[in-house]
Amino acid sequence: MAGTKALLTLENFINGKFVPCSSYIDSYDPSTGEVHCRVPDSGNEEIEAAVEAARAAFPGWSARSPQERSQVLHRLADLLEKSLEDLAQAESRDQGKTITLARTMDIPRSVQNFRFFASSILHHTSECTHMDHVGCLHYTLRAPVGIGVPPGVVNIVFGTGPKVGEALVSHPEVPLISFTGSQPTAERIAQLSAPHCKKLSLELGGKNPAIIFEDANLEECIPTTVRSSFANQGEICLCTSRIFVQKSIYSEFLKKFVAATRMWKVGIPSDPSASMGALISKAHLEKVRSYVKKARAEGARILCGEGVDTLSLPPKNQAGYFMLPTVITDIKDESCCMKEEIFGPVTCVVPFDSEEEVIQRANSVKYGLAATVWSSNVGRVHRVAKKLQSGLVWTNCWLIRELNLPFGGMKSSGIGREGAKDSYEFFTEVKTITIKH
């Protein structure tokens, strides 16, 4: 039709070339509910081509010196930085997140990660021991398992989990899998990869507690906890979804927290003043809303957000997947809203009496990804952090990352860790060599 803008059509990237696919899936702009691009619906054929390209590229790339590979990663970081605005716009439109978040966190963090690992690969050392009594020297080597950037080194194949995902994780020549996502998907990956004894790194969900003691600095705690609850529409695995507040300050905290939450503006992603954009999909929006309905049916109180306050949007965004940040209270620990990962702008606030009690309640879910502790008592901070069943514990802050240190969760929040040393160990195979002299 004349005047109609053609839809963007993505292609797979295999062996250094963009490759069209025989069928495609519609991808929706979360802020409007309209189709904004078409994505390949790949399957076995595309996975076979990608695996073959990777196999052919692997010997040459793995033989390159750390210095050469470091230069490639630095070049990638430079290219990302040069295209920061274009990438931020694309990420915002695809995910529904605010352009501000994409500009200030997503793309800059990608650049930072490439530069960090470009540097860290130059400083790894191997182990060596000597056994004088038998005249033997032992040392270790690490051989790369995955791959990295000339043609065939990086391949991007789009599609659905049941189709292309299963083809990838069950392929006998894919030796390891790094996955970030939900626990049910991870269970399926484990089933499919088990016959091949693949290495797995699984970063899964969380039901992350914030524990706020009576000596917490509320001037810092409240804005940070609003951010930790609702940043990126709550669609961050590290977001806070259970807030435990000591009884003596519970009423004060709740009043100030709700007031601060109502200041958290929901708007179209391109609005620079928006704190939150749209959720990722219509189906996910309905899922998140269903948790609020369940909480209300259980007798909980919804203090602000869904079903309480009015969301104002421009006419063209009325069909977008927007939801106000929602605070729930008067809810039991046994509620699904306190047990299950909602992955949206919903958080529950409940009171507690003692340190021992709150540790037990915080640990009572199947997840163990992250936690935050707010207190001015250094001894208490150390005690509580040690006893929490969480792979990450932030005290008096949130989402401050140190890439040198391990990142990952306990219990149903995953298997393995990421970080300079942990990633190096995961993406390589260690070999012990003994030489008798």
Side-chain angles (χ1 to χ4, degrees):
M1 185 183 294
T4 301
K5 186 178 179 181
L7 283 177
L8 172 68
T9 300
L10 302 185
E11 294 180 336
N12 292 320
F13 186 71
I14 300 173
N15 203 24
K17 298 177 182 177
F18 288 102
V19 182
C21 190
S22 59
S23 62
Y24 290 83
I25 309 165
D26 288 338
S27 180
Y28 293 82
D29 180 340
S31 71
T32 63
E34 298 174 353
V35 176
H36 85 96
C37 75
R38 299 169 71 233
V39 179
D41 184 17
S42 309
N44 285 317
E45 182 180 344
E46 289 80 8
I47 290 298
E48 285 293 343
V51 171
E52 176 56 37
R55 186 195 302 117
F58 182 67
W61 174 248
S62 61
R64 290 195 182 191
S65 70
Q67 288 76 16
E68 289 177 297
R69 283 179 275 135
S70 176
Q71 289 172 1
V72 171
L73 294 182
H74 275 301
R75 175 63 176 150
L76 277 170
D78 291 341
L79 291 170
L80 285 173
E81 197 164 51
K82 185 178 179 181
S83 302
L84 188 149
E85 182 59 27
D86 288 342
L87 292 169
Q89 292 283 351
E91 179 70 2
S92 174
R93 190 174 186 191
D94 182 59
Q95 298 292 315
K97 66 180 59 184
T98 65
I99 184 65
T100 302
L101 191 68
R103 277 188 192 128
T104 59
M105 188 173 80
D106 292 55
I107 311 305
R109 286 232 353 232
S110 297
V111 173
Q112 178 195 357
N113 281 16
F114 273 110
R115 290 200 171 130
F116 175 85
F117 285 101
S119 173
S120 72
I121 62 174
L122 301 176
H123 306 292
H124 290 300
T125 58
S126 60
E127 299 169 283
C128 180
T129 63
H130 188 251
M131 296 175 66
D132 288 329
H133 64 289
V134 290
C136 285
L137 177 75
H138 308 269
Y139 65 94
T140 60
L141 290 178
R142 283 198 168 268
V145 180
I147 49 167
V149 177
V153 170
V154 171
N155 301 283
I156 302 171
V157 182
F158 294 94
T160 64
K163 191 174 175 183
V164 74
E166 296 213 355
L168 177 66
V169 301
S170 61
H171 197 290
E173 293 189 58
V174 175
L176 60 78
I177 299 159
S178 177
F179 170 76
T180 299
S182 70
Q183 185 193 357
T185 304
E187 290 175 5
R188 182 62 178 155
I189 289 171
Q191 291 171 357
L192 292 169
S193 62
H196 306 284
C197 296
K198 298 179 186 232
K199 292 177 75 175
L200 299 179
S201 177
L202 305 174
E203 200 269 277
L204 311 177
K207 194 63 184 172
N208 310 310
I211 300 175
I212 300 163
F213 288 97
E214 59 190 358
D215 60 349
N217 181 341
L218 294 187
E219 288 187 9
E220 292 182 6
C221 171
I222 286 173
T224 303
T225 306
V226 169
R227 186 168 65 90
S228 73
S229 300
F230 306 122
N232 197 45
Q233 305 75 245
E235 294 172 320
I236 302 174
C237 58
L238 301 166
C239 273
T240 300
S241 56
R242 296 180 295 151
I243 303 173
F244 297 92
V245 185
Q246 201 152 25
K247 268 187 181 172
S248 59
I249 61 165
Y250 180 72
S251 296
E252 178 191 3
F253 176 89
L254 204 55
K255 181 180 178 181
K256 291 181 177 179
F257 184 76
V258 170
T261 297
R262 283 198 163 115
M263 297 295 292
W264 194 259
K265 181 181 176 181
V266 177
I268 60 174
S270 59
D271 181 354
S273 67
S275 303
M276 256 175 56
L279 277 74
I280 187 65
S281 70
K282 185 176 182 179
H284 186 59
L285 172 64
E286 292 306 317
K287 176 189 171 184
V288 175
R289 282 176 170 166
S290 74
Y291 277 99
V292 181
K293 291 176 185 175
K294 289 175 185 175
R296 186 177 280 112
E298 292 170 351
R301 283 196 301 147
I302 316 302
L303 298 185
C304 64
E306 178 69 15
V308 176
D309 300 311
T310 303
L311 175 59
S312 178
L313 293 167
K316 73 171 186 176
N317 300 98
Q318 294 291 327
Y321 317 136
F322 294 90
M323 179 177 172
L324 288 166
T326 301
V327 178
I328 301 173
T329 191
D330 293 345
I331 191 164
K332 292 180 169 59
D333 287 3
E334 296 74 30
S335 168
C336 61
C337 293
M338 288 285 282
K339 291 285 189 183
E340 300 173 14
E341 183 181 45
I342 299 175
F343 207 66
V346 178
T347 195
C348 301
V349 186
V350 293
F352 74 89
D353 286 306
S354 69
E355 182 178 311
E356 294 74 19
E357 170 209 338
V358 76
I359 291 169
Q360 184 275 323
R361 292 171 67 189
N363 289 339
S364 67
V365 297
K366 68 179 182 179
Y367 296 107
L369 182 55
T372 55
V373 179
W374 290 88
S375 174
S376 59
N377 184 319
V378 176
R380 173 188 281 156
V381 160
H382 284 290
R383 284 195 309 274
V384 175
K386 183 178 181 180
K387 293 177 181 178
L388 287 173
Q389 295 169 357
S390 295
L392 299 150
V393 180
W394 283 288
T395 63
N396 302 322
C397 63
W398 178 69
L399 207 60
I400 295 175
R401 288 285 308 279
E402 164 56 274
L403 292 176
N404 278 298
L405 299 182
F407 173 90
M410 299 179 178
K411 302 192 288 188
S412 292
S413 287
I415 298 172
R417 295 291 187 270
E418 299 170 3
K421 182 173 181 289
D422 297 272
S423 295
Y424 173 63
E425 291 178 352
F426 177 70
F427 288 103
T428 59
E429 287 283 11
V430 66
K431 178 188 298 184
T432 299
I433 297 172
T434 299
I435 298 176
K436 185 171 174 62
H437 54 84

